[in-house]
mmCIF file of all heavy atoms in Angstrom:
data_model
loop_
_atom_site.group_PDB
_atom_site.id
_atom_site.type_symbol
_atom_site.label_atom_id
_atom_site.label_comp_id
_atom_site.label_asym_id
_atom_site.label_seq_id
_atom_site.Cartn_x
_atom_site.Cartn_y
_atom_site.Cartn_z
ATOM 1 N N GLN A 143 14.649 -10.271 -110.350
ATOM 2 C CA GLN A 143 14.016 -11.447 -109.500
ATOM 3 C C GLN A 143 13.160 -10.846 -108.445
ATOM 4 O O GLN A 143 13.209 -9.676 -108.138
ATOM 5 C CB GLN A 143 15.177 -12.244 -108.818
ATOM 6 C CG GLN A 143 16.037 -12.989 -109.880
ATOM 7 C CD GLN A 143 16.965 -13.946 -109.196
ATOM 8 O OE1 GLN A 143 16.672 -15.111 -109.182
ATOM 9 N NE2 GLN A 143 17.948 -13.450 -108.608
ATOM 10 N N PRO A 144 12.299 -11.590 -107.898
ATOM 11 C CA PRO A 144 11.412 -11.096 -106.792
ATOM 12 C C PRO A 144 12.238 -10.537 -105.665
ATOM 13 O O PRO A 144 13.319 -10.960 -105.448
ATOM 14 C CB PRO A 144 10.734 -12.400 -106.333
ATOM 15 C CG PRO A 144 10.775 -13.303 -107.488
ATOM 16 C CD PRO A 144 12.083 -13.032 -108.083
ATOM 17 N N ARG A 145 11.560 -9.640 -104.902
ATOM 18 C CA ARG A 145 12.217 -8.937 -103.799
ATOM 19 C C ARG A 145 12.796 -9.911 -102.766
ATOM 20 O O ARG A 145 13.916 -9.742 -102.215
ATOM 21 C CB ARG A 145 11.122 -8.111 -103.036
ATOM 22 C CG ARG A 145 11.646 -7.513 -101.807
ATOM 23 C CD ARG A 145 10.546 -6.789 -100.931
ATOM 24 N NE ARG A 145 9.685 -7.718 -100.490
ATOM 25 C CZ ARG A 145 9.002 -7.752 -99.315
ATOM 26 N NH1 ARG A 145 9.372 -6.741 -98.437
ATOM 27 N NH2 ARG A 145 8.144 -8.528 -98.945
ATOM 28 N N GLU A 146 12.027 -11.044 -102.514
ATOM 29 C CA GLU A 146 12.480 -12.013 -101.437
ATOM 30 C C GLU A 146 13.961 -12.538 -101.752
ATOM 31 O O GLU A 146 14.702 -12.780 -100.907
ATOM 32 C CB GLU A 146 11.489 -13.111 -101.387
ATOM 33 C CG GLU A 146 10.176 -12.812 -100.678
ATOM 34 C CD GLU A 146 9.260 -11.901 -101.706
ATOM 35 O OE1 GLU A 146 9.506 -11.978 -102.924
ATOM 36 O OE2 GLU A 146 8.352 -11.205 -101.232
ATOM 37 N N ARG A 147 14.071 -12.794 -103.123
ATOM 38 C CA ARG A 147 15.461 -13.297 -103.447
ATOM 39 C C ARG A 147 16.626 -12.319 -103.147
ATOM 40 O O ARG A 147 17.669 -12.699 -102.691
ATOM 41 C CB ARG A 147 15.468 -13.698 -104.979
ATOM 42 C CG ARG A 147 16.735 -14.308 -105.554
ATOM 43 C CD ARG A 147 17.196 -15.574 -104.629
ATOM 44 N NE ARG A 147 18.478 -16.010 -105.250
ATOM 45 C CZ ARG A 147 19.268 -16.836 -104.438
ATOM 46 N NH1 ARG A 147 18.890 -17.157 -103.178
ATOM 47 N NH2 ARG A 147 20.427 -17.302 -104.930
ATOM 48 N N LYS A 148 16.308 -11.108 -103.571
ATOM 49 C CA LYS A 148 17.478 -10.108 -103.289
ATOM 50 C C LYS A 148 17.493 -9.753 -101.730
ATOM 51 O O LYS A 148 18.619 -9.480 -101.276
ATOM 52 C CB LYS A 148 16.990 -8.793 -104.091
ATOM 53 C CG LYS A 148 17.138 -8.942 -105.504
ATOM 54 C CD LYS A 148 16.628 -7.785 -106.283
ATOM 55 C CE LYS A 148 15.173 -7.713 -106.413
ATOM 56 N NZ LYS A 148 14.680 -6.648 -107.335
ATOM 57 N N LEU A 149 16.376 -9.836 -101.063
ATOM 58 C CA LEU A 149 16.388 -9.547 -99.630
ATOM 59 C C LEU A 149 17.288 -10.616 -98.982
ATOM 60 O O LEU A 149 17.824 -10.352 -97.886
ATOM 61 C CB LEU A 149 14.939 -9.617 -99.056
ATOM 62 C CG LEU A 149 14.755 -8.931 -97.705
ATOM 63 C CD1 LEU A 149 15.156 -7.522 -97.714
ATOM 64 C CD2 LEU A 149 13.206 -9.093 -97.341
ATOM 65 N N ALA A 150 17.430 -11.716 -99.431
ATOM 66 C CA ALA A 150 18.190 -12.815 -98.871
ATOM 67 C C ALA A 150 19.679 -12.385 -98.837
ATOM 68 O O ALA A 150 20.495 -13.022 -98.076
ATOM 69 C CB ALA A 150 18.050 -14.105 -99.672
ATOM 70 N N TYR A 151 20.090 -11.425 -99.559
ATOM 71 C CA TYR A 151 21.453 -10.959 -99.576
ATOM 72 C C TYR A 151 21.560 -9.537 -99.062
ATOM 73 O O TYR A 151 22.659 -8.930 -99.232
ATOM 74 C CB TYR A 151 22.044 -11.037 -100.963
ATOM 75 C CG TYR A 151 22.210 -12.469 -101.448
ATOM 76 C CD1 TYR A 151 21.342 -13.220 -102.094
ATOM 77 C CD2 TYR A 151 23.441 -13.108 -101.019
ATOM 78 C CE1 TYR A 151 21.497 -14.498 -102.378
ATOM 79 C CE2 TYR A 151 23.606 -14.482 -101.400
ATOM 80 C CZ TYR A 151 22.619 -15.129 -102.051
ATOM 81 O OH TYR A 151 22.834 -16.460 -102.379
ATOM 82 N N SER A 152 20.624 -9.079 -98.337
ATOM 83 C CA SER A 152 20.833 -7.812 -97.633
ATOM 84 C C SER A 152 21.835 -7.953 -96.588
ATOM 85 O O SER A 152 22.128 -9.143 -96.087
ATOM 86 C CB SER A 152 19.439 -7.370 -96.944
ATOM 87 O OG SER A 152 19.109 -8.219 -95.930
ATOM 88 N N LYS A 153 22.410 -6.850 -95.932
ATOM 89 C CA LYS A 153 23.366 -7.026 -94.980
ATOM 90 C C LYS A 153 22.836 -7.725 -93.708
ATOM 91 O O LYS A 153 23.600 -8.362 -93.044
ATOM 92 C CB LYS A 153 23.941 -5.700 -94.540
ATOM 93 C CG LYS A 153 24.808 -5.069 -95.677
ATOM 94 C CD LYS A 153 25.523 -3.781 -95.158
ATOM 95 C CE LYS A 153 26.484 -3.331 -96.293
ATOM 96 N NZ LYS A 153 27.143 -1.967 -95.847
ATOM 97 N N GLU A 154 21.473 -7.624 -93.489
ATOM 98 C CA GLU A 154 20.947 -8.351 -92.308
ATOM 99 C C GLU A 154 20.715 -9.828 -92.633
ATOM 100 O O GLU A 154 20.816 -10.601 -91.614
ATOM 101 C CB GLU A 154 19.474 -7.693 -91.955
ATOM 102 C CG GLU A 154 19.653 -6.260 -91.512
ATOM 103 C CD GLU A 154 19.899 -5.219 -92.632
ATOM 104 O OE1 GLU A 154 19.737 -5.579 -93.842
ATOM 105 O OE2 GLU A 154 20.414 -4.130 -92.275
ATOM 106 N N ASN A 155 20.574 -10.185 -93.735
ATOM 107 C CA ASN A 155 20.271 -11.591 -94.125
ATOM 108 C C ASN A 155 21.362 -12.392 -94.847
ATOM 109 O O ASN A 155 21.238 -13.614 -94.867
ATOM 110 C CB ASN A 155 19.069 -11.629 -94.931
ATOM 111 C CG ASN A 155 17.808 -11.011 -94.291
ATOM 112 O OD1 ASN A 155 17.630 -11.174 -93.098
ATOM 113 N ND2 ASN A 155 16.982 -10.331 -94.945
ATOM 114 N N SER A 156 22.257 -11.760 -95.359
ATOM 115 C CA SER A 156 23.316 -12.342 -96.193
ATOM 116 C C SER A 156 23.986 -13.545 -95.454
ATOM 117 O O SER A 156 24.386 -13.420 -94.249
ATOM 118 C CB SER A 156 24.368 -11.345 -96.670
ATOM 119 O OG SER A 156 25.498 -12.021 -97.309
ATOM 120 N N PRO A 157 24.303 -14.653 -96.074
ATOM 121 C CA PRO A 157 25.045 -15.712 -95.364
ATOM 122 C C PRO A 157 26.569 -15.284 -95.086
ATOM 123 O O PRO A 157 27.200 -15.975 -94.289
ATOM 124 C CB PRO A 157 24.992 -16.846 -96.448
ATOM 125 C CG PRO A 157 24.799 -16.147 -97.739
ATOM 126 C CD PRO A 157 23.944 -14.985 -97.445
ATOM 127 N N CYS A 158 27.102 -14.251 -95.679
ATOM 128 C CA CYS A 158 28.372 -13.737 -95.415
ATOM 129 C C CYS A 158 28.394 -12.221 -95.636
ATOM 130 O O CYS A 158 28.889 -11.715 -96.649
ATOM 131 C CB CYS A 158 29.410 -14.488 -96.293
ATOM 132 S SG CYS A 158 31.085 -14.027 -95.943
ATOM 133 N N PRO A 159 27.726 -11.463 -94.731
ATOM 134 C CA PRO A 159 27.471 -10.086 -94.937
ATOM 135 C C PRO A 159 28.701 -9.175 -95.064
ATOM 136 O O PRO A 159 28.620 -8.101 -95.655
ATOM 137 C CB PRO A 159 26.748 -9.643 -93.700
ATOM 138 C CG PRO A 159 27.062 -10.574 -92.683
ATOM 139 C CD PRO A 159 27.291 -11.901 -93.408
#
Side-chain angles (χ1 to χ4, degrees):
Q143 293 188 103
R145 173 190 64 142
E146 290 73 21
R147 179 59 180 157
K148 291 174 282 189
L149 198 58
Y151 288 94
S152 69
K153 286 188 177 180
E154 294 75 21
N155 300 322
S156 172
C158 186

